[in-house]
């Protein structure tokens, strides 16, 4: 028998449950389907568990640094990985069960558990159930990519999900991939006490960042004893006794890295290959991302795609914003759109990187005349007082319109301080608004106006300081 709804939502990630609440609150009969863990990636294997573990790693780091602050701690520092994991499981579990009970208690909303698949543009199966709706919303997220690397099937490996079950200290964690996920795990495990090597095919870590940001990130990680192998060509694996050998063949250094565990962090792919999208006439691009317009409508009328699976963002805040865009258009007669969104994210190494808008390289490629301001964290009193002077901040403004084009704050509090810049960008206000604002002393943010008072032309050549 087919049950008919006003709206069916597939997936309980960072868009689905909030959208369910709005649609159900508007009086629609809603069904939401989850095949695995309520709350999706962020809650179970993404943001929440990683940031919880990063907090444990930070505590270990600060205990080791105690003497820098005049605090006496004579004993050896050790980390109990079972306790780290149970703290992480408790915090993540709270969010998961909170999401599930919220959905189950939601008026006008029915929860189904099972793998959802389109049978037609208006019909979805969930296990043995069949649901019909004129509006179907896809929020299926993504999963870690398994790279085609020689020998990968012959060795044990972890990915960002399976590493969540680790409750011991890997002797030497070899991380394939120097992107955001790889870097966060690298510093975290180094601080727990593992030897860590990052292997990256590109000449830079965090390759989407400007070279100066990427170089500073590398220096921060190397300063903590993390081995970084860039320009790795032909990565492959084999076993040597208990160890796993990663063949890297870099231009310099040993062509092999021998480790106890391997973490694959080479990217993510959307969960769209087993959704029956062709039955619904929903088009995907060549990487499997669902093609959507500026209001997240797919090629099939009455079907929307939200979150990581549409390729318009890969963050919790972008997925939630997708939900806001959809309900604004459907319920509030408010034509919000994806292109109103300004790129913003953080990389949660310590110190963190907060990013907003374009990179220097993107501005350069756009051909715009621009000005750049830059300040090292050694010249930020708050950072000096906290004993956390690594990194720098920079801001880029349009030389003609004086609007802020982008910013990076790699330094203590950078993940928070970036928001004052982001908000001025959303206001489309000239940079003088923030330059003339009086910020609180002592904060990292108080140096943003100062930095804006020292703008210089952005060099045309990429190799110059950006
Ligand atoms: C290690 C890691 C760290 C991260 N850290 C951050 C961070 O600090 N900040 C940040 O903003 N983002 C972070 N992210 C990204 C963030 O987790 C995602 O962008 C976010 O969860 C949004 O995902 P989503 O809403 O698209 O779907 P997801 O959260 O992935 O949820 C999709 C849900 O759909 C379900 N599903 C899939 N297919 C089906 C089906 N056929 N039938 C039924 N159910 C289905 C899945 O089981 C899942 O529960 C991180 C990701 C990882 C992997």
């Amino acid at each position: 028998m087919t049950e008919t709804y006003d709206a069916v939502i597939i997936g309980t990630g960072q868009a689905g449950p909030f959208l369910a609440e709005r649609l159900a609150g508007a009086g629609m009969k809603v069904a939401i389907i989850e095949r695995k863990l309520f709350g999706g990636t962020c809650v179970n294997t993404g943001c929440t568990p990683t940031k919880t573990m990063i907090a444990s790693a930070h505590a270990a780091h600060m205990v080791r640094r105690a003497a820098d602050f005049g605090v006496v701690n004579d004993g050896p520092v050790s980390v109990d990985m079972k306790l780290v994991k149970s703290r992480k499981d408790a915090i993540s579990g709270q969010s998961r069960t909170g999401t599930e009970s919220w959905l189950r208690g939601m008026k006008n909303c029915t929860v189904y558990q099972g793998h959802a698949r389109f049978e037609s543009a208006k019909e979805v199966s969930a296990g043995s159930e069949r649901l019909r709706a004129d509006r179907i919303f896809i929020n299926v997220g993504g999963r870690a990519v398994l790279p085609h690397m020689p020998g990968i099937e012959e060795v044990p490996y972890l990915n960002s999900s399976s590493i969540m079950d680790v409750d011991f200290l890997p002797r030497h964690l070899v991380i394939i991939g120097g992107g955001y996920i790889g870097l966060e795990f690298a510093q975290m495990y180094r601080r727990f006490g593992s030897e860590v090597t990052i292997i990256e095919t590109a000449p830079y870590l965090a390759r989407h960042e400007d070279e100066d940001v990427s170089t500073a990130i590398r220096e921060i990680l190397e300063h903590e004893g993390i081995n970084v192998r860039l320009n790795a060509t032909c990565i492959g694996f084999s076993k040597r006794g208990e160890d796993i050998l990663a063949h890297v063949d870099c231009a310099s250094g040993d062509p092999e890295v021998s480790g106890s565990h391997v973490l694959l962090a080479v990217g993510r792919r959307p969960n769209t290959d087993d959704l029956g999208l062709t039955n619904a006439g929903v088009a995907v691009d060549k990487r499997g991302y669902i093609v959507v317009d500026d209001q997240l409508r797919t090629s099939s009328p009455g079907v929307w795609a939200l979150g990581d699976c549409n390729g318009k963002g890969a963050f919790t805040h972008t997925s939630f914003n997708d939900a806001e865009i959809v309900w604004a258009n459907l319920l509030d007669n408010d034509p919000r759109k994806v292109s109103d969104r300004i790129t913003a994210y953080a990389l949660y190494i310590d110190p963190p990187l907060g990013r907003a808008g374009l990179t220097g390289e993107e501005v350069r490629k756009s051909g715009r005349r621009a000005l750049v301001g830059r300040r090292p964290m050694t010249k930020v009193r708050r950072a000096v007082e906290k004993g956390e002077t690594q990194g720098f901040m920079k801001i880029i403004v349009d030389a003609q319109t004086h609007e802020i084009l982008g910013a990076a704050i790699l330094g203590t509090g950078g993940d928070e301080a970036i928001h004052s810049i982001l908000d001025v960008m959303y206001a489309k206000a000239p940079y003088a608004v923030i330059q003339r604002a009086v910020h609180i002393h002592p904060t990292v943010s108080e140096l943003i106006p100062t930095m804006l008072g020292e703008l210089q032309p952005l060099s045309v050549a990429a190799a110059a300081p950006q």
Side-chain angles (χ1 to χ4, degrees), residues 51 53-65 77-81 84 169-171 173 175 183-196 217 219-226 348-352 387-388 390:
K51 272 76 237 179
M53 291 167 78
I54 283 170
S56 294
H58 182 251
H61 181 65
M62 291 312 279
V63 174
R64 284 192 195 100
R65 285 195 61 202
V77 178
S78 66
V79 176
D80 184 330
M81 290 302 291
V84 168
L169 190 67
R171 179 173 43 77
L173 182 63
I175 300 178
L183 298 182
E184 290 183 8
F185 280 111
Q187 192 184 44
M188 180 201 306
Y189 270 90
R190 180 66 190 141
R191 289 178 170 193
F192 289 150
S194 297
E195 188 180 344
V196 174
I217 290 171
E219 284 166 5
I220 288 165
L221 298 178
E222 286 185 332
H223 184 71
E224 292 190 27
I226 294 169
Y348 291 90
I349 57 163
D350 175 32
E388 296 176 10
Q390 288 172 311

Short mmCIF file of all heavy atoms in Angstrom, two decimals, residues 51 53-65 77-81 84 169-171 173 175 183-196 217 219-226 348-352 387-388 390:
data_model
loop_
_atom_site.label_atom_id
_atom_site.label_comp_id
_atom_site.label_asym_id
_atom_site.label_seq_id
_atom_site.Cartn_x
_atom_site.Cartn_y
_atom_site.Cartn_z
N LYS A 51 35.28 17.87 16.45
CA LYS A 51 35.58 19.04 17.29
C LYS A 51 35.64 18.64 18.76
O LYS A 51 36.37 19.24 19.55
CB LYS A 51 34.57 20.16 17.06
CG LYS A 51 34.97 21.08 15.92
CD LYS A 51 34.72 20.50 14.56
CE LYS A 51 35.88 20.40 13.64
NZ LYS A 51 35.57 19.80 12.33
N MET A 53 36.84 15.72 19.79
CA MET A 53 38.17 15.11 19.95
C MET A 53 39.28 16.15 19.86
O MET A 53 40.30 16.06 20.55
CB MET A 53 38.37 14.02 18.88
CG MET A 53 37.48 12.81 19.11
SD MET A 53 37.43 11.75 17.68
CE MET A 53 38.99 10.91 17.82
N ILE A 54 39.07 17.18 19.03
CA ILE A 54 40.05 18.26 18.93
C ILE A 54 40.17 18.97 20.29
O ILE A 54 41.25 19.39 20.70
CB ILE A 54 39.66 19.23 17.78
CG1 ILE A 54 40.02 18.58 16.43
CG2 ILE A 54 40.33 20.60 17.93
CD1 ILE A 54 39.48 19.31 15.22
N ALA A 55 39.05 19.06 20.99
CA ALA A 55 39.09 19.69 22.33
C ALA A 55 39.94 18.85 23.28
O ALA A 55 40.72 19.39 24.07
CB ALA A 55 37.67 19.86 22.87
N SER A 56 39.82 17.51 23.19
CA SER A 56 40.67 16.64 24.03
C SER A 56 42.14 16.83 23.66
O SER A 56 43.01 16.91 24.53
CB SER A 56 40.30 15.17 23.83
OG SER A 56 39.01 14.91 24.31
N ALA A 57 42.39 16.89 22.35
CA ALA A 57 43.78 17.06 21.88
C ALA A 57 44.34 18.40 22.34
O ALA A 57 45.51 18.51 22.71
CB ALA A 57 43.81 16.94 20.35
N HIS A 58 43.50 19.42 22.34
CA HIS A 58 43.93 20.75 22.77
C HIS A 58 44.29 20.74 24.25
O HIS A 58 45.30 21.33 24.67
CB HIS A 58 42.82 21.78 22.49
CG HIS A 58 43.20 23.17 22.85
ND1 HIS A 58 42.67 23.83 23.91
CD2 HIS A 58 44.10 24.02 22.30
CE1 HIS A 58 43.21 25.04 24.00
NE2 HIS A 58 44.07 25.18 23.02
N ALA A 59 43.48 20.01 25.02
CA ALA A 59 43.77 19.91 26.46
C ALA A 59 45.14 19.26 26.68
O ALA A 59 45.95 19.75 27.47
CB ALA A 59 42.67 19.12 27.16
N ALA A 60 45.42 18.19 25.92
CA ALA A 60 46.72 17.51 26.05
C ALA A 60 47.85 18.47 25.68
O ALA A 60 48.89 18.53 26.35
CB ALA A 60 46.75 16.27 25.15
N HIS A 61 47.62 19.22 24.63
CA HIS A 61 48.64 20.18 24.14
C HIS A 61 48.92 21.23 25.22
O HIS A 61 50.08 21.56 25.49
CB HIS A 61 48.10 20.83 22.87
CG HIS A 61 49.02 21.81 22.24
ND1 HIS A 61 50.24 21.46 21.71
CD2 HIS A 61 48.90 23.16 22.06
CE1 HIS A 61 50.83 22.53 21.21
NE2 HIS A 61 50.04 23.58 21.42
N MET A 62 47.87 21.74 25.83
CA MET A 62 48.06 22.81 26.82
C MET A 62 48.73 22.27 28.09
O MET A 62 49.50 22.99 28.72
CB MET A 62 46.72 23.49 27.14
CG MET A 62 46.17 24.32 25.98
SD MET A 62 47.38 25.42 25.20
CE MET A 62 47.35 26.81 26.33
N VAL A 63 48.43 21.01 28.42
CA VAL A 63 49.12 20.43 29.58
C VAL A 63 50.61 20.34 29.29
O VAL A 63 51.46 20.67 30.12
CB VAL A 63 48.53 19.05 29.94
CG1 VAL A 63 49.34 18.40 31.05
CG2 VAL A 63 47.07 19.18 30.37
N ARG A 64 50.94 19.93 28.06
CA ARG A 64 52.37 19.84 27.70
C ARG A 64 53.02 21.22 27.72
O ARG A 64 54.20 21.35 27.98
CB ARG A 64 52.51 19.23 26.30
CG ARG A 64 52.29 17.74 26.29
CD ARG A 64 52.72 17.10 24.98
NE ARG A 64 52.14 15.78 24.91
CZ ARG A 64 51.04 15.47 24.21
NH1 ARG A 64 50.43 16.39 23.47
NH2 ARG A 64 50.57 14.25 24.23
N ARG A 65 52.23 22.23 27.41
CA ARG A 65 52.78 23.59 27.37
C ARG A 65 52.69 24.31 28.73
O ARG A 65 52.97 25.50 28.81
CB ARG A 65 52.01 24.42 26.33
CG ARG A 65 52.34 24.09 24.89
CD ARG A 65 51.82 25.20 23.98
NE ARG A 65 52.44 26.48 24.30
CZ ARG A 65 51.91 27.67 23.98
NH1 ARG A 65 50.78 27.75 23.35
NH2 ARG A 65 52.53 28.79 24.30
N VAL A 77 52.77 13.38 30.37
CA VAL A 77 51.39 13.60 29.90
C VAL A 77 50.98 12.39 29.07
O VAL A 77 51.68 12.02 28.13
CB VAL A 77 51.31 14.88 29.04
CG1 VAL A 77 49.89 15.08 28.52
CG2 VAL A 77 51.77 16.08 29.83
N SER A 78 49.88 11.78 29.42
CA SER A 78 49.40 10.69 28.56
C SER A 78 47.91 10.88 28.32
O SER A 78 47.22 11.56 29.08
CB SER A 78 49.69 9.33 29.21
OG SER A 78 48.94 9.21 30.38
N VAL A 79 47.45 10.30 27.24
CA VAL A 79 46.05 10.46 26.84
C VAL A 79 45.39 9.10 26.88
O VAL A 79 45.92 8.13 26.32
CB VAL A 79 45.98 11.06 25.41
CG1 VAL A 79 44.55 11.15 24.93
CG2 VAL A 79 46.65 12.43 25.38
N ASP A 80 44.24 9.01 27.53
CA ASP A 80 43.50 7.76 27.59
C ASP A 80 42.49 7.77 26.43
O ASP A 80 41.45 8.43 26.49
CB ASP A 80 42.78 7.66 28.94
CG ASP A 80 42.06 6.32 29.10
OD1 ASP A 80 41.62 5.75 28.08
OD2 ASP A 80 41.92 5.87 30.25
N MET A 81 42.84 7.05 25.39
CA MET A 81 42.04 7.13 24.16
C MET A 81 40.62 6.56 24.36
O MET A 81 39.69 6.98 23.68
CB MET A 81 42.74 6.40 23.01
CG MET A 81 43.99 7.11 22.52
SD MET A 81 43.66 8.81 21.96
CE MET A 81 42.71 8.51 20.47
N VAL A 84 38.78 9.47 25.72
CA VAL A 84 38.57 10.46 24.65
C VAL A 84 37.40 10.02 23.79
O VAL A 84 36.49 10.80 23.48
CB VAL A 84 39.86 10.61 23.78
CG1 VAL A 84 39.57 11.40 22.52
CG2 VAL A 84 40.97 11.26 24.59
N LEU A 169 45.76 4.30 20.65
CA LEU A 169 46.64 5.28 20.02
C LEU A 169 47.43 4.63 18.89
O LEU A 169 48.28 3.77 19.16
CB LEU A 169 47.61 5.83 21.08
CG LEU A 169 48.43 7.03 20.63
CD1 LEU A 169 47.55 8.24 20.41
CD2 LEU A 169 49.51 7.33 21.66
N PRO A 170 47.18 4.99 17.64
CA PRO A 170 47.99 4.44 16.56
C PRO A 170 49.46 4.86 16.76
O PRO A 170 49.71 6.01 17.10
CB PRO A 170 47.41 5.09 15.30
CG PRO A 170 46.07 5.60 15.70
CD PRO A 170 46.15 5.93 17.15
N ARG A 171 50.36 3.92 16.57
CA ARG A 171 51.78 4.27 16.74
C ARG A 171 52.20 5.32 15.71
O ARG A 171 52.82 6.32 16.05
CB ARG A 171 52.64 2.99 16.61
CG ARG A 171 54.13 3.21 16.75
CD ARG A 171 54.91 1.89 16.78
NE ARG A 171 54.47 0.91 15.81
CZ ARG A 171 54.76 0.94 14.50
NH1 ARG A 171 55.50 1.91 14.02
NH2 ARG A 171 54.31 -0.01 13.69
N LEU A 173 50.34 7.17 12.43
CA LEU A 173 49.18 7.33 11.55
C LEU A 173 49.64 8.01 10.26
O LEU A 173 50.16 9.14 10.30
CB LEU A 173 48.12 8.19 12.26
CG LEU A 173 46.81 8.42 11.51
CD1 LEU A 173 46.07 7.10 11.27
CD2 LEU A 173 45.90 9.38 12.29
N ILE A 175 48.43 9.67 6.96
CA ILE A 175 47.18 10.26 6.44
C ILE A 175 47.37 10.59 4.96
O ILE A 175 48.27 11.35 4.60
CB ILE A 175 46.80 11.53 7.24
CG1 ILE A 175 46.60 11.16 8.71
CG2 ILE A 175 45.56 12.19 6.66
CD1 ILE A 175 46.27 12.32 9.63
N LEU A 183 43.92 17.29 7.74
CA LEU A 183 44.72 18.16 8.61
C LEU A 183 44.20 18.16 10.05
O LEU A 183 44.98 18.17 11.00
CB LEU A 183 44.74 19.59 8.07
CG LEU A 183 45.36 19.77 6.68
CD1 LEU A 183 45.37 21.23 6.27
CD2 LEU A 183 46.77 19.20 6.64
N GLU A 184 42.87 18.15 10.19
CA GLU A 184 42.31 18.15 11.54
C GLU A 184 42.69 16.85 12.27
O GLU A 184 43.10 16.87 13.43
CB GLU A 184 40.78 18.33 11.49
CG GLU A 184 40.39 19.73 11.05
CD GLU A 184 38.89 20.01 11.05
OE1 GLU A 184 38.09 19.19 11.54
OE2 GLU A 184 38.51 21.08 10.56
N PHE A 185 42.57 15.71 11.57
CA PHE A 185 42.95 14.45 12.21
C PHE A 185 44.45 14.41 12.48
O PHE A 185 44.90 13.84 13.48
CB PHE A 185 42.55 13.25 11.34
CG PHE A 185 41.09 12.89 11.48
CD1 PHE A 185 40.20 13.08 10.43
CD2 PHE A 185 40.61 12.35 12.67
CE1 PHE A 185 38.85 12.76 10.57
CE2 PHE A 185 39.26 12.02 12.82
CZ PHE A 185 38.39 12.23 11.76
N ALA A 186 45.25 15.00 11.59
CA ALA A 186 46.71 14.96 11.76
C ALA A 186 47.12 15.63 13.07
O ALA A 186 47.83 15.04 13.89
CB ALA A 186 47.37 15.66 10.58
N GLN A 187 46.64 16.85 13.28
CA GLN A 187 47.07 17.56 14.49
C GLN A 187 46.49 16.90 15.75
O GLN A 187 47.17 16.76 16.76
CB GLN A 187 46.65 19.03 14.41
CG GLN A 187 47.31 19.86 15.48
CD GLN A 187 46.82 21.29 15.45
OE1 GLN A 187 45.62 21.53 15.32
NE2 GLN A 187 47.73 22.24 15.56
N MET A 188 45.24 16.47 15.63
CA MET A 188 44.58 15.82 16.76
C MET A 188 45.37 14.58 17.21
O MET A 188 45.73 14.45 18.39
CB MET A 188 43.18 15.40 16.27
CG MET A 188 42.30 14.71 17.23
SD MET A 188 41.02 13.78 16.34
CE MET A 188 40.22 14.92 15.28
N TYR A 189 45.71 13.70 16.27
CA TYR A 189 46.40 12.47 16.65
C TYR A 189 47.84 12.73 17.08
O TYR A 189 48.39 12.04 17.94
CB TYR A 189 46.31 11.41 15.54
CG TYR A 189 45.06 10.57 15.76
CD1 TYR A 189 43.85 10.94 15.20
CD2 TYR A 189 45.09 9.47 16.62
CE1 TYR A 189 42.69 10.21 15.47
CE2 TYR A 189 43.94 8.74 16.88
CZ TYR A 189 42.75 9.11 16.31
OH TYR A 189 41.62 8.40 16.59
N ARG A 190 48.47 13.73 16.49
CA ARG A 190 49.82 14.10 16.94
C ARG A 190 49.77 14.52 18.40
O ARG A 190 50.60 14.14 19.21
CB ARG A 190 50.36 15.25 16.06
CG ARG A 190 51.73 15.70 16.42
CD ARG A 190 52.75 14.60 16.16
NE ARG A 190 54.05 14.93 16.72
CZ ARG A 190 54.85 14.05 17.31
NH1 ARG A 190 54.52 12.78 17.37
NH2 ARG A 190 56.01 14.42 17.79
N ARG A 191 48.74 15.31 18.74
CA ARG A 191 48.62 15.78 20.13
C ARG A 191 48.23 14.65 21.08
O ARG A 191 48.57 14.68 22.25
CB ARG A 191 47.61 16.93 20.19
CG ARG A 191 48.18 18.18 19.54
CD ARG A 191 47.22 19.33 19.54
NE ARG A 191 47.92 20.55 19.12
CZ ARG A 191 47.42 21.77 19.25
NH1 ARG A 191 46.23 21.93 19.77
NH2 ARG A 191 48.12 22.82 18.86
N PHE A 192 47.53 13.64 20.56
CA PHE A 192 47.23 12.47 21.40
C PHE A 192 48.52 11.68 21.68
O PHE A 192 48.59 10.94 22.65
CB PHE A 192 46.22 11.54 20.72
CG PHE A 192 44.81 12.11 20.65
CD1 PHE A 192 43.96 11.76 19.61
CD2 PHE A 192 44.35 12.98 21.62
CE1 PHE A 192 42.67 12.27 19.54
CE2 PHE A 192 43.05 13.49 21.56
CZ PHE A 192 42.21 13.13 20.52
N GLY A 193 49.50 11.81 20.76
CA GLY A 193 50.78 11.14 20.99
C GLY A 193 51.24 10.25 19.86
O GLY A 193 52.30 9.61 19.97
N SER A 194 50.51 10.18 18.75
CA SER A 194 50.93 9.35 17.61
C SER A 194 52.01 10.07 16.81
O SER A 194 52.04 11.31 16.77
CB SER A 194 49.76 9.12 16.65
OG SER A 194 48.73 8.41 17.26
N GLU A 195 52.84 9.28 16.14
CA GLU A 195 53.62 9.88 15.06
C GLU A 195 52.65 10.05 13.89
O GLU A 195 51.79 9.18 13.67
CB GLU A 195 54.79 8.98 14.67
CG GLU A 195 55.72 9.66 13.69
CD GLU A 195 56.91 8.80 13.26
OE1 GLU A 195 57.22 7.80 13.92
OE2 GLU A 195 57.52 9.15 12.23
N VAL A 196 52.75 11.15 13.17
CA VAL A 196 51.81 11.40 12.07
C VAL A 196 52.56 11.85 10.83
O VAL A 196 53.45 12.70 10.90
CB VAL A 196 50.77 12.49 12.47
CG1 VAL A 196 49.89 12.86 11.28
CG2 VAL A 196 49.90 12.02 13.65
N ILE A 217 50.08 27.13 7.47
CA ILE A 217 49.46 25.92 8.04
C ILE A 217 50.51 24.81 8.15
O ILE A 217 50.64 24.15 9.17
CB ILE A 217 48.28 25.45 7.16
CG1 ILE A 217 47.10 26.43 7.27
CG2 ILE A 217 47.84 24.04 7.52
CD1 ILE A 217 45.98 26.18 6.28
N GLU A 219 53.71 25.14 8.40
CA GLU A 219 54.68 25.46 9.45
C GLU A 219 54.12 25.13 10.84
O GLU A 219 54.82 24.60 11.70
CB GLU A 219 55.07 26.94 9.38
CG GLU A 219 56.04 27.21 8.23
CD GLU A 219 56.18 28.70 7.89
OE1 GLU A 219 55.60 29.55 8.61
OE2 GLU A 219 56.85 28.99 6.90
N ILE A 220 52.84 25.44 11.03
CA ILE A 220 52.20 25.16 12.33
C ILE A 220 52.25 23.66 12.61
O ILE A 220 52.59 23.22 13.70
CB ILE A 220 50.74 25.68 12.32
CG1 ILE A 220 50.74 27.21 12.38
CG2 ILE A 220 49.92 25.09 13.46
CD1 ILE A 220 49.40 27.85 12.02
N LEU A 221 51.91 22.87 11.60
CA LEU A 221 51.86 21.41 11.80
C LEU A 221 53.26 20.82 11.95
O LEU A 221 53.49 19.97 12.81
CB LEU A 221 51.11 20.75 10.63
CG LEU A 221 49.65 21.18 10.49
CD1 LEU A 221 49.00 20.51 9.29
CD2 LEU A 221 48.84 20.87 11.75
N GLU A 222 54.19 21.30 11.14
CA GLU A 222 55.56 20.77 11.24
C GLU A 222 56.19 21.14 12.59
O GLU A 222 56.96 20.37 13.15
CB GLU A 222 56.41 21.28 10.08
CG GLU A 222 56.03 20.56 8.78
CD GLU A 222 56.91 20.92 7.60
OE1 GLU A 222 57.44 22.05 7.57
OE2 GLU A 222 57.05 20.07 6.69
N HIS A 223 55.83 22.31 13.09
CA HIS A 223 56.35 22.75 14.39
C HIS A 223 55.96 21.77 15.50
O HIS A 223 56.68 21.63 16.49
CB HIS A 223 55.76 24.14 14.68
CG HIS A 223 56.27 24.75 15.94
ND1 HIS A 223 57.56 25.21 16.07
CD2 HIS A 223 55.67 24.96 17.14
CE1 HIS A 223 57.74 25.68 17.30
NE2 HIS A 223 56.60 25.53 17.97
N GLU A 224 54.84 21.08 15.31
CA GLU A 224 54.41 20.08 16.31
C GLU A 224 54.95 18.68 16.00
O GLU A 224 54.56 17.71 16.62
CB GLU A 224 52.88 20.05 16.39
CG GLU A 224 52.35 21.34 16.99
CD GLU A 224 50.88 21.31 17.34
OE1 GLU A 224 50.34 20.22 17.61
OE2 GLU A 224 50.26 22.38 17.33
N GLY A 225 55.80 18.60 14.97
CA GLY A 225 56.44 17.31 14.69
C GLY A 225 55.68 16.44 13.71
O GLY A 225 55.93 15.24 13.61
N ILE A 226 54.73 17.01 12.98
CA ILE A 226 54.01 16.23 11.96
C ILE A 226 54.86 16.21 10.68
O ILE A 226 55.39 17.25 10.26
CB ILE A 226 52.62 16.87 11.69
CG1 ILE A 226 51.76 16.74 12.94
CG2 ILE A 226 51.94 16.25 10.46
CD1 ILE A 226 50.48 17.55 12.92
N TYR A 348 39.61 23.60 11.49
CA TYR A 348 39.79 23.55 12.94
C TYR A 348 41.09 22.90 13.36
O TYR A 348 41.10 22.00 14.21
CB TYR A 348 38.60 22.85 13.59
CG TYR A 348 37.35 23.69 13.48
CD1 TYR A 348 36.50 23.56 12.38
CD2 TYR A 348 37.05 24.65 14.42
CE1 TYR A 348 35.38 24.36 12.25
CE2 TYR A 348 35.92 25.45 14.30
CZ TYR A 348 35.10 25.29 13.21
OH TYR A 348 33.99 26.10 13.08
N ILE A 349 42.20 23.33 12.74
CA ILE A 349 43.47 23.05 13.38
C ILE A 349 43.61 24.11 14.47
O ILE A 349 42.77 24.99 14.61
CB ILE A 349 44.64 23.06 12.37
CG1 ILE A 349 44.72 24.40 11.64
CG2 ILE A 349 44.54 21.90 11.40
CD1 ILE A 349 46.04 24.66 10.96
N ASP A 350 44.68 24.03 15.22
CA ASP A 350 44.90 25.01 16.29
C ASP A 350 46.23 25.70 16.02
O ASP A 350 47.26 25.03 16.01
CB ASP A 350 44.91 24.27 17.64
CG ASP A 350 45.25 25.19 18.79
OD1 ASP A 350 44.89 26.38 18.73
OD2 ASP A 350 45.88 24.71 19.76
N PRO A 351 46.28 27.00 15.79
CA PRO A 351 45.15 27.90 15.76
C PRO A 351 44.30 27.68 14.52
O PRO A 351 44.81 27.24 13.49
CB PRO A 351 45.80 29.29 15.73
CG PRO A 351 47.11 29.07 15.04
CD PRO A 351 47.56 27.71 15.47
N PRO A 352 43.01 28.01 14.61
CA PRO A 352 42.12 27.74 13.47
C PRO A 352 42.25 28.77 12.35
O PRO A 352 42.78 29.86 12.55
CB PRO A 352 40.73 27.86 14.11
CG PRO A 352 40.91 28.78 15.26
CD PRO A 352 42.31 28.58 15.77
N GLY A 387 49.86 33.54 24.52
CA GLY A 387 50.98 32.68 24.12
C GLY A 387 50.65 31.88 22.87
O GLY A 387 51.10 30.75 22.69
N GLU A 388 49.83 32.47 21.98
CA GLU A 388 49.44 31.77 20.76
C GLU A 388 49.62 32.71 19.57
O GLU A 388 48.66 33.28 19.06
CB GLU A 388 47.97 31.32 20.87
CG GLU A 388 47.78 30.31 22.00
CD GLU A 388 46.34 29.89 22.22
OE1 GLU A 388 45.48 30.22 21.40
OE2 GLU A 388 46.09 29.23 23.25
N GLN A 390 51.04 32.08 16.54
CA GLN A 390 51.23 31.53 15.18
C GLN A 390 50.15 32.08 14.25
O GLN A 390 49.02 32.31 14.67
CB GLN A 390 51.12 30.01 15.23
CG GLN A 390 52.32 29.35 15.88
CD GLN A 390 52.07 27.86 16.07
OE1 GLN A 390 51.02 27.47 16.58
NE2 GLN A 390 53.01 27.05 15.67
#
